[in-house]
Amino acid sequence: MGRSLLFDRNRWHHHSEIATKLKKLEEWLRNRLRYCIWHHWKKPERKRKNLIRLGIDQDQAYAWSRTRMGGWAVAQSPILRTTITVKRLKRKGYVSLLEYYKR
């Protein structure tokens, strides 16, 4: 009985480690997707128009589209975190690694 309890505890610990690592990987993956989307827009005018389509007001979209931050910094900033949300990504077919693992 004691051995089985220890085995269950180790399995639970292993499961929680995997979940933690998947959560970090998923965060990085979402940032990478945001980076790729930002990079795909290429020109400031296209970035501005797409930000407006995503609900940002025109003045803010103009300022954000002409930022001098690099693409990776933009992906992790409020510029894309508030516009390209997890909810929007899921609507486009993104499947959470953690949800997939828990199935």
Side-chain angles (χ1 to χ4, degrees), residues 1 5-6 9 19 25 27 32 35 41 45 51 53 57-58 71 78 81 85-86 90-91 96 98-100 103:
M1 180 105 179
L5 181 62
L6 183 61
R9 186 176 297 159
L25 178 63
E27 184 177 325
R32 181 66 183 175
Y35 166 81
W41 291 345
E45 191 57 28
L51 287 170
R53 280 190 201 123
D57 68 271
Q58 289 188 358
R81 282 196 177 207
T85 60
V86 176
K90 284 184 178 180
R91 263 192 271 145
S96 166
L98 204 52
E99 289 174 14
Y100 189 78
R103 287 185 201 173

Side-chain angles (χ1 to χ4, degrees), residues 9-22:
R9 186 176 297 159
N10 284 338
R11 189 173 1 166
W12 177 84
H13 180 68
H14 180 70
H15 178 73
S16 68
E17 278 183 18
I18 290 173
T20 302
K21 289 179 182 180
L22 278 177

Side-chain angles (χ1 to χ4, degrees), residues 26-39:
E26 188 173 343
E27 184 177 325
W28 181 88
L29 186 60
R30 284 193 311 265
N31 282 332
R32 181 66 183 175
L33 287 170
R34 289 182 184 115
Y35 166 81
C36 290
I37 292 167
W38 184 255
H39 188 71

